[in-house]
Amino acid sequence: MNFIKKLKDTSLSVLPVMAIVFFLGVTIVPLKREILLNFLSGGILLILGLTIFLTGVDLGIEPMGERCGAELTKKKNLSLLLTAAFIIGFIVTAAEPDIQVFADQVKQIFPFVNKISFTFVIAAGVGLFITLGLVRIVLNLSIKWTLFILYTILFLISFFSPASFFAIAFDSGGATTGPMTVPFIMALGLGVSSVRKDEDNSFGLTGICSIGPVLAVLFYSLMIKTGSAGGVLEKEALDHAGSAPAIFTAFKEALISIVPLFVLFIVFQFSLLRMTARQFARTVIGFIYSLIGLTIFLTGVNNGFSKAGSELGKTLGLLVSANGGLWGFVIIVLGLVFGAIIVCAEPAVWILSEQVESVSGGTIKRKALLIFLSVGTSIAIGLSLLRSIAGFNLKWILIPGYIIAMLLLIFSPPLFSGIAFDSGGVASGPLTSTFVLSFTLGAAATNSGSADSFGVIALVAMMPLIAIQLMGIIYTKKSSVQNSEEKGGAL
């Protein structure tokens, strides 16, 4: 744990976004002084909060998840492991702030949707697929065949579900992987695979979990009476996406997110883990750091970033609708830039990249992973903004994209396939779902309407599947060439 290093790294990730938005806000797309000041102060809070949160994850949440996975596996009681996994997945997902926000957004467009049942359906989907993911690890089933079969079933069901729910279902897969869910799920998978001493199975649990809510929402759409979308988000609803909650609201969201996991930790401590007093105290301190960091992070993101993103998107969207041409190109280029930079500030992305470097013994560099992830997310945001302007069907991008991802499973190493599908979940975190989503919502509201605002998270979750698997193929080829050269030199 190195607080100064984390502070430096997070600053380098967030400051470029702040510089670009501030430059645009005082030149090409003038923003109100109040919005710019809130944005700058929000950026500082975001950097500080992310640093403290990551420190807390290192201290408490990640070690707890790994210990739980390892101890449950050592019990050699599969039913106990799967029951505990389902309860963990359901409780943590139902408490995830991103899910509450997402359910509100869906209800605004589709009033016939019941928020509570919708939330529980998503939580059940995550719980069931955590158990499925752990069964795969325990039975040593192929990650490639597991993903291929599950996505084949998913797309077959999607053809029978209402078209209006297609984007919402795929968005739900990304919305479930929030700042508290991801660290624990990834650590749980690492803990189980560490007992089995199987490096290739260390990753992929988050990727499998992301399929669960998509399937669950598709089934939900088949069972309810569907109606037409509301058409266009009301101005108040759009503004609410970029509203500025007080620090107490952010604290409440962070508390709702962390308390269920902390309660599970207490239960596991006395029934399973039995940590020493020092280990217990260290974990509790980690949870406290995570709570403080997440509160500061959410305050910064919601208070400054989302409002600036919404206003920037609306202003550029009006310019596109009035003039088209060059402004359409400008807004797409901005989306590419924001996508490339902002994913590096996502809390879960940092955790995943550090775990990948650790598990691989440093052979897979964190910087290389972040570069490929940035490129994939950049393309996803660019396509989202192109769709918000042109208004074409999401299936035209999503189905070919997943077909490519499935084909790449044939050539990509199993470890990289697991990392790729995990990356799809972690890329769509709170920063993406606030600043980027608000930016796209603003552009869509002035062009194609709210129906095309859904699908942003789905595209952000899809592109890393392609990017990271391509990285794995390149990595394998370079390793083969290097080994050949070393053998030739030895001869």
Side-chain angles (χ1 to χ4, degrees):
M1 183 186 71
N2 190 327
F3 185 85
I4 300 300
K5 184 180 182 299
K6 289 185 186 298
L7 181 62
K8 179 183 175 182
D9 289 342
T10 53
S11 298
L12 289 173
S13 298
V14 177
L15 287 174
V17 179
M18 295 176 65
I20 293 168
V21 174
F22 184 78
F23 173 76
L24 292 171
V26 296
T27 56
I28 303 173
V29 190
L31 297 177
K32 294 178 182 178
R33 184 180 178 183
E34 181 186 356
I35 293 174
L36 281 175
L37 290 174
N38 283 337
F39 175 77
L40 293 175
S41 61
I44 294 169
L45 290 175
L46 189 151
I47 292 169
L48 180 62
L50 180 56
T51 303
I52 297 172
F53 174 76
L54 292 173
T55 302
V57 168
D58 281 355
L59 276 172
I61 295 171
E62 193 174 298
M64 172 203 164
E66 290 187 25
R67 284 194 181 99
C68 285
E71 291 300 322
L72 285 167
T73 306
K74 287 176 183 176
K75 293 287 184 184
K76 295 183 179 179
N77 186 332
L78 187 59
S79 60
L80 174 64
L81 173 64
L82 300 184
T83 302
F86 177 82
I87 293 170
I88 290 167
F90 186 91
I91 291 175
V92 175
T93 303
E96 186 68 59
D98 287 356
I99 290 298
Q100 304 300 321
V101 174
F102 181 69
D104 282 331
Q105 290 174 333
V106 172
K107 188 167 179 61
Q108 286 171 3
I109 306 300
F110 299 99
F112 53 85
V113 170
N114 182 281
K115 180 183 174 181
I116 295 175
S117 63
F118 185 76
T119 302
F120 284 176
V121 162
I122 290 175
V126 173
L128 285 171
F129 274 70
I130 282 183
T131 62
L132 184 60
L134 291 179
V135 167
R136 183 200 72 80
I137 296 174
V138 171
L139 300 182
N140 198 27
L141 301 176
S142 167
I143 180 67
K144 295 184 177 185
W145 277 109
T146 303
L147 290 168
F148 179 79
I149 292 169
L150 290 176
Y151 272 103
T152 301
I153 294 170
L154 189 155
F155 277 101
L156 285 174
I157 293 172
S158 72
F159 284 111
F160 298 98
S161 63
S164 56
F165 263 76
F166 183 82
I168 291 170
F170 277 86
D171 274 357
S172 70
T176 54
T177 47
M180 289 310 303
T181 311
V182 168
F184 191 80
I185 290 176
M186 286 197 296
L188 188 66
L190 286 172
V192 174
S193 60
S194 67
V195 174
R196 298 183 54 82
K197 296 180 172 58
D198 187 355
E199 183 184 278
D200 283 354
N201 277 328
S202 298
F203 299 96
L205 184 58
T206 303
I208 291 173
C209 288
S210 297
I211 302 172
V214 182
L215 271 172
V217 172
L218 290 174
F219 275 118
Y220 177 78
S221 70
L222 292 171
M223 292 185 292
I224 63 172
K225 182 180 179 182
T226 60
S228 59
V232 179
L233 279 170
E234 296 296 326
K235 185 178 186 301
E236 292 79 13
L238 184 59
D239 288 340
H240 179 69
S243 63
I247 191 168
F248 296 108
T249 304
F251 176 73
K252 180 182 176 183
E253 290 180 358
L255 203 63
I256 290 172
S257 187
I258 287 177
V259 164
L261 198 56
F262 183 75
V263 171
L264 286 172
F265 161 65
I266 298 298
V267 172
F268 284 138
Q269 165 62 14
F270 292 103
S271 62
L272 181 71
L273 300 177
R274 305 190 190 283
M275 295 180 182
T276 64
R278 184 175 180 179
Q279 290 172 331
F280 180 81
R282 180 184 173 91
T283 305
V284 171
I285 292 170
F287 270 98
I288 294 171
Y289 274 29
S290 298
L291 176 62
I292 295 170
L294 189 57
T295 300
I296 297 171
F297 177 87
L298 291 173
T299 302
V301 169
N302 294 330
N303 193 45
F305 266 61
S306 59
K307 183 67 176 178
S310 178
E311 290 298 319
L312 199 63
K314 282 192 286 185
T315 305
L316 285 169
L318 288 170
L319 290 170
V320 172
S321 61
N323 304 304
L326 180 61
W327 285 108
F329 176 76
V330 168
I331 199 171
I332 292 171
V333 169
L334 276 176
L336 292 170
V337 173
F338 286 141
I341 297 173
I342 214 161
V343 71
C344 294
E346 289 286 6
V349 168
W350 279 88
I351 295 162
L352 174 66
S353 62
E354 288 176 354
Q355 287 185 344
V356 168
E357 193 169 61
S358 174
V359 170
S360 66
T363 56
I364 304 174
K365 300 297 182 185
R366 183 168 62 86
K367 287 184 179 179
L369 184 71
L370 289 174
I371 289 170
F372 275 87
L373 199 53
S374 293
V375 172
T377 308
S378 173
I379 295 170
I381 301 301
L383 288 171
S384 298
L385 286 164
L386 178 62
R387 179 170 171 262
S388 73
I389 295 169
F392 54 81
N393 196 314
L394 179 67
K395 291 182 179 180
W396 295 358
I397 307 174
L398 216 57
I399 292 177
Y402 274 101
I403 290 173
I404 293 170
M406 294 301 107
L407 290 174
L408 288 173
L409 283 171
I410 301 170
F411 307 101
S412 175
L415 177 61
F416 277 92
S417 295
I419 294 169
F421 281 81
D422 278 356
S423 299
V426 303
S428 51
L431 204 56
T432 304
S433 61
T434 50
F435 180 83
V436 174
L437 184 57
S438 296
F439 182 73
T440 311
L441 278 170
T446 52
N447 287 279
S448 57
S450 63
D452 291 316
S453 62
F454 289 109
V456 179
I457 300 173
L459 288 173
V460 171
M462 180 197 74
M463 287 306 299
L465 312 187
I466 298 172
I468 303 301
Q469 288 193 100
L470 286 174
M471 176 187 174
I473 294 168
I474 295 168
Y475 175 86
T476 304
K477 287 186 176 180
K478 281 189 174 183
S479 297
S480 299
V481 172
Q482 195 172 24
N483 290 335
S484 298
E485 289 175 353
E486 287 175 357
K487 287 179 181 178
L491 293 172

